Amino acid sequence: MSKFAEQLDTRARLVSCLLLIIAQVVSQSLILLSVGALIALLIALMFGRSMREMLIHLLRVEAFVFCIVLLLPFSVEGDTLFSLFGIAASVQGVERAIGVFLKVSAAALLIFGLLGPLKPSELGAALNALKVPSKLVTLLLMTLRYIELFKQEYGRLRQAMKARAFEMRSSWHTWRTLGWLIGMLLVRGMVRAQHVFEAMQCRVFQGHFPIQPAERWRFRDTLWLLVCSAVMLISLIERFR
């Protein structure tokens, strides 16, 4: 990670991530979208992310949009590019699919690079300093904290199923077992939530967590936001000209 990226204020990271994602979303030119995706890749590398980590992260994200990208060429009217089983794929549909792919990839890389390395406490402090409502900050911190606990609980239940020689199959037994798995996960989650609530009551919880003071804003943070704002303005001008 470069010294500049390491010392960048967390608030600047949050705001710049939002600005760059807006710039990518509003852009319609494939050239600008490609440049935006390249910028997102360089930012992720600058903030210490390896190519292997980014590839794994992208594969997880793109799995959700794969079907959309695959069907867009056949669902958008326009000039025929090729036909598959009698269904025509349009040039405009292919361009739309490429645009969606570039937008999603760039947004995923920006979030992964700029916000991924942040601890929940750092993210909460930055949101609090940006005057985000404290209830939303508390809800976000609780969610980030207990998603990992649910993941660990799910891993323990799956390990217990494997110890009993359970195998996924297309059968009634498999679906019934998965139903029991989801039910047990919900039950254990409710029990854990009750224990956490009682522990918070014992500590006289007032509705918000103690938030560490905001970092000192420096000139490099302002410079970084100015550059990101310029990128967003270029995309807005291109979009609405």
Side-chain angles (χ1 to χ4, degrees):
M1 183 184 296
S2 66
K3 185 177 180 180
F4 175 84
E6 185 178 359
Q7 296 179 351
L8 194 66
D9 190 282
T10 307
R11 291 167 292 179
R13 289 193 184 196
L14 278 168
V15 177
S16 63
C17 184
L18 178 62
L19 292 176
L20 292 174
I21 289 178
I22 291 175
Q24 190 74 357
V25 169
V26 301
S27 181
Q28 298 295 323
S29 169
L30 290 182
I31 296 177
L32 286 181
L33 287 173
S34 301
V35 172
L38 180 60
I39 291 174
L41 176 63
L42 294 176
I43 288 176
L45 290 173
M46 185 177 69
F47 280 82
R49 294 306 197 177
S50 67
M51 291 297 296
R52 182 177 179 274
E53 289 177 323
M54 287 187 287
L55 180 60
I56 294 174
H57 183 67
L58 280 178
L59 287 175
R60 291 172 178 172
V61 174
E62 297 297 349
F64 290 97
V65 298
F66 176 75
C67 293
I68 297 176
V69 172
L70 191 64
L71 294 175
L72 270 177
F74 302 97
S75 57
V76 176
E77 296 183 356
D79 303 324
T80 301
L81 180 63
F82 64 91
S83 296
L84 184 65
F85 302 113
I87 304 176
S90 65
V91 175
Q92 290 79 1
V94 173
E95 291 177 351
R96 186 78 61 85
I98 295 174
V100 170
F101 173 78
L102 291 173
K103 289 180 181 183
V104 173
S105 299
L109 288 173
L110 288 169
I111 295 173
F112 185 61
L114 288 168
L115 306 183
L118 297 178
K119 299 177 182 177
S121 58
E122 296 173 336
L123 185 60
L127 291 172
N128 185 69
L130 292 171
K131 306 303 180 183
V132 176
S134 60
K135 290 185 178 180
L136 290 180
V137 176
T138 302
L139 181 61
L140 175 63
L141 293 178
M142 291 285 289
T143 302
L144 293 175
R145 173 68 178 88
Y146 288 99
I147 281 179
E148 184 63 27
L149 289 180
F150 271 102
K151 182 180 177 181
Q152 294 174 3
E153 194 64 42
Y154 173 78
R156 283 193 288 268
L157 290 172
R158 286 288 289 127
Q159 190 66 31
M161 293 167 66
K162 289 180 181 179
R164 291 164 175 80
F166 174 77
E167 294 183 2
M168 290 285 189
R169 294 175 181 172
S170 181
S171 64
W172 174 248
H173 173 70
T174 297
W175 290 110
R176 184 173 58 183
T177 304
L178 290 178
W180 280 107
L181 171 64
I182 296 173
M184 286 301 299
L185 188 61
L186 292 175
V187 169
R188 294 194 180 191
M190 292 175 61
V191 172
R192 178 65 66 89
Q194 183 63 33
H195 291 168
V196 170
F197 177 69
E198 293 171 355
M200 292 166 69
Q201 283 185 318
C202 292
R203 291 165 177 79
V204 197
F205 181 67
Q206 300 295 325
H208 58 84
F209 294 113
I211 301 295
Q212 62 187 27
E215 306 168 53
R216 181 182 176 185
W217 190 269
R218 301 179 185 274
F219 174 73
R220 60 172 170 268
D221 304 312
T222 304
L223 180 63
W224 174 257
L225 285 185
L226 287 176
V227 173
C228 295
S229 300
V231 173
M232 186 186 71
L233 286 176
I234 292 173
S235 297
L236 290 174
I237 292 172
E238 182 273 333
R239 176 67 175 83
F240 297 107
R241 69 179 177 179

